[in-house]
Every structure is written in C-alpha cells, then in structure tokens.
Amino acid sequence: MRFSTSILTTALIAGGAVSTVHAALPKANEYKSSDCSGALNYGHHSAFLGDVTMDDSSHSVYLAGANWVGFSDKTSNGGKCSGSALTVLQGECNNLDTAHPGKRIKCVRNID
C-alpha cells in the first residue's frame, strides 16, 4: 500500500508540474480587431516559438510567456523577422498599427 501511494503522489506532482509548464509556454495570438477582441485570427503557442510573422489582416497580437520585440518587416508569411527592431512589446494585447509611431509591426520575436 505504501508503494502505490508513493507512485500516485509522484504522478500527481508530475502532472501538476506539466500543467504549470504548459501555462508558461510562449504565446502570440493574432486578432483582426485592434484590441485582441473577437475571434482568433491565428494562434501561436509553443515552447519553440521564436519569430512569429503577423498576417496582413491581423491588427493586434496577444503576447504572453516570453519577452517580445516587434519588427518592421518579415521575410515572408511563416518566415523570419527582418527590417528594424521597433520596440519591446509589453505582455497581453498590443495594437500592431499603433504600438510604434509611424510603423506597423509585421513580426514579433521571442527574445528569451
């Protein structure tokens, strides 16, 4: 009985750790709205999230789980960030059209 209780306790602790790690994964979710409201346009959520190109129809991005920098250009959809590093973006919702005066953010990079 003692052995099976130890195994169960270890499994529960490990399960909790996995849930905690999953919640902290980098996220960059795109929305057509300017304030991250409404339906998700494109969702990005992965432990390996690096450069995330913004679709031309997206106007805001919800960022979490990492530190992010917005870039002025992208090599292609699904490609890499290029151009100038414009600004460090805060967590949560960022308007792609107004987060940096005079320039639209076309790509975000996880700098962690």
Side-chain angles (χ1 to χ4, degrees), residues 51-111:
D51 286 7
V52 182
T53 59
M54 300 289 102
D55 188 78
D56 293 338
S57 66
S58 295
H59 293 282
S60 63
V61 61
Y62 180 89
L63 300 171
N67 291 304
W68 298 90
V69 172
F71 280 78
S72 64
D73 216 344
K74 58 187 177 182
T75 57
S76 62
N77 288 330
K80 297 284 183 187
C81 294
S82 63
S84 303
L86 298 175
T87 187
V88 174
L89 298 167
Q90 303 304 313
E92 300 193 7
C93 189
N94 291 271
N95 183 306
L96 297 170
D97 302 316
T98 63
H100 184 79
K103 297 262 187 182
R104 174 179 161 78
I105 293 172
K106 296 182 181 178
C107 188
V108 296
R109 176 174 289 162
N110 175 348
I111 58 171

